[in-house]
Amino acid sequence: MTEPPGGAAADGNEEIMRATHRALRDHGYADLTVQRIADEYGKSTAAIHYHYDTKEELLAAFLDHLLARFVDTIRDIETTDPDARLSLLLDELLAVPSETQGLSVALLEMRSQAPYNDAFREQFAQNDEYLRYVLKAVINHGIDEGAFVTVDAERTARSLLSIVDGGRTRAVVFDDASELELARQVASEYVDATLR
Amino acid sequence: MTEPPGGAAADGNEEIMRATHRALRDHGYADLTVQRIADEYGKSTAAIHYHYDTKEELLAAFLDHLLARFVDTIRDIETTDPDARLSLLLDELLAVPSETQGLSVALLEMRSQAPYNDAFREQFAQNDEYLRYVLKAVINHGIDEGAFVTVDAERTARSLLSIVDGGRTRAVVFDDASELELARQVASEYVDATLR
């Protein structure tokens, strides 16, 4: 479901997305029901089903919403210097959550369900494709400007996302946010080794 | 539950472990029941509960069994050359599954449940501690022999496991074994950059 650019429907969706965020953060994915999201939304489940037929459809839309939020965040990165820009992107991708790890936990649960759930798999693939695209763009820009050596930018982007996903997985499994900080350093070491 | 070194009980446990492996590989974790494992075992659920009180206890024992199998595998690595040994360890950690990705899928599901399940969290932490220990040993050996530069071996081991876990997570989420091969190359590049 594409979100309209504004108006009541968009506001409704935005509120549902926030309610979904809180429900996932506080209850995780496995036990999540539309009723719980409705409780957070402060309306009936029917009000949610007016927008989304199924829980899966709603959660896939939520993954799309997270991507849209990330797009907004990187739109705020004003520097065009490839080095600084790549560094800020990696900072964002491996940021330590401000509150709890609750949403990260729920997202790993949803990722683990991708093999069983077409909507999740497609949305995770789409989010990853966008991240690869953004990383590739800044790497190619750096190559053009002579800041980076010539590499296969697609491969380097995918390698960096592998480091990112390793840190994210470990931070959840071991309940240890320092895994994100370590992965951020590994990403820097990898950039130094392969792009300079 | 510690597995006795031999005899009927050990054989029984080994058969249950194999049945658990097949059940997880074919059905995943979320829908796994003791009945399904018993079906694979060819005996009643009572025969399983004789050894394991709960499904969680059985699955934690299975994670321990996987660690024991990994210990056996690396015991077969005969080379003592630190470079070759580190390379073979990383090969093992990022080996492409011979049949399906079924077990890898189930393991990611179980990892995502670690925040809710003490037995899983403790066993995953124990497995990771062992892997760190093995990697640290070979890195320190390489430093002593002058094959590697002096580094914080604990940190380098943890960094390599972050790369390993990134490849494993992505291989499952995107159903793409080439993510394991890419992570293997990233691990090599990281070794080259930090240990030489």
Side-chain angles (χ1 to χ4, degrees), chain A residues 116-132:
Chain A
Y116 309 107
N117 186 315
D118 290 344
F120 287 5
R121 185 169 57 246
E122 281 162 26
Q123 193 61 51
F124 279 122
Q126 190 178 314
N127 288 20
D128 196 68
E129 194 183 329
Y130 179 78
L131 298 182
R132 282 204 312 280

Side-chain angles (χ1 to χ4, degrees), chain A residues 109 116 128 165 170 189-190, chain B residues 109 116 165 170 189-190:
Chain A
E109 288 184 83
Y116 309 107
D128 196 68
D165 284 331
R170 292 175 64 85
E189 291 169 310
Y190 189 77
Chain B
E109 287 185 84
Y116 309 107
D165 284 331
R170 292 175 65 82
E189 291 169 309
Y190 189 76

Side-chain angles (χ1 to χ4, degrees), chain B residues 4-47:
Chain B
D11 293 346
N13 278 348
E14 181 63 31
E15 275 179 46
I16 294 174
M17 290 299 111
R18 283 188 199 151
T20 306
H21 186 138
R22 289 192 299 272
L24 279 171
R25 183 195 61 197
D26 297 343
H27 305 292
Y29 165 74
D31 295 331
L32 192 71
T33 57
V34 174
Q35 184 60 57
R36 270 196 171 144
I37 299 169
D39 290 345
E40 292 287 344
Y41 186 33
K43 296 192 183 177
S44 67
T45 56

Side-chain angles (χ1 to χ4, degrees), chain A residues 16 19 34-52 58:
Chain A
I16 294 175
V34 174
Q35 183 61 57
R36 269 197 171 142
I37 299 169
D39 290 346
E40 293 287 345
Y41 187 33
K43 296 193 184 177
S44 67
T45 56
I48 288 176
H49 284 305
Y50 176 79
H51 294 278
Y52 304 99
L58 164 56

Side-chain angles (χ1 to χ4, degrees), chain A:
Chain A
M1 186 174 285
T2 311
E3 215 168 292
D11 293 345
N13 279 348
E14 180 64 30
E15 274 180 47
I16 294 175
M17 290 298 112
R18 282 188 200 153
T20 305
H21 186 137
R22 290 193 299 273
L24 279 171
R25 183 195 63 197
D26 297 344
H27 304 292
Y29 164 75
D31 295 331
L32 192 70
T33 56
V34 174
Q35 183 61 57
R36 269 197 171 142
I37 299 169
D39 290 346
E40 293 287 345
Y41 187 33
K43 296 193 184 177
S44 67
T45 56
I48 288 176
H49 284 305
Y50 176 79
H51 294 278
Y52 304 99
D53 285 341
T54 65
K55 186 175 79 173
E56 272 57 45
E57 196 187 311
L58 164 56
L59 289 175
F62 177 70
L63 295 178
D64 196 37
H65 165 81
L66 287 184
L67 178 62
R69 284 208 333 185
F70 185 80
V71 172
D72 285 345
T73 305
I74 64 171
R75 200 171 283 144
D76 292 341
I77 299 180
E78 290 181 350
T79 177
T80 57
D81 174 66
D83 234 322
R85 199 173 166 82
L86 179 57
S87 181
L88 289 167
L89 284 170
L90 291 169
D91 286 348
E92 281 299 331
L93 289 168
L94 286 162
V96 174
S98 51
E99 322 158 296
T100 69
Q101 282 218 92
L103 186 65
S104 310
V105 172
L107 286 173
L108 186 62
E109 288 184 83
M110 290 170 74
R111 298 192 109 198
S112 81
Q113 294 307 303
Y116 309 107
N117 186 315
D118 290 344
F120 287 5
R121 185 169 57 246
E122 281 162 26
Q123 193 61 51
F124 279 122
Q126 190 178 314
N127 288 20
D128 196 68
E129 194 183 329
Y130 179 78
L131 298 182
R132 282 204 312 280
Y133 164 83
V134 169
L135 289 172
K136 222 166 76 174
V138 67
I139 292 166
N140 277 326
H141 182 209
I143 294 169
D144 288 347
E145 288 213 340
F148 299 147
V149 297
T150 303
V151 294
D152 177 345
E154 166 73 22
R155 184 185 173 282
T156 304
R158 207 151 67 101
S159 301
L160 287 170
L161 288 174
S162 192
I163 294 168
V164 165
D165 284 331
R168 286 178 172 181
T169 297
R170 292 175 64 85
V172 169
V173 176
F174 304 123
D175 188 22
D176 183 355
S178 80
E179 293 285 352
L180 295 171
E181 291 159 18
L182 178 67
R184 180 64 190 85
Q185 291 164 21
V186 173
S188 277
E189 291 169 310
Y190 189 77
V191 164
D192 286 345
T194 59
L195 290 178
R196 296 185 211 282

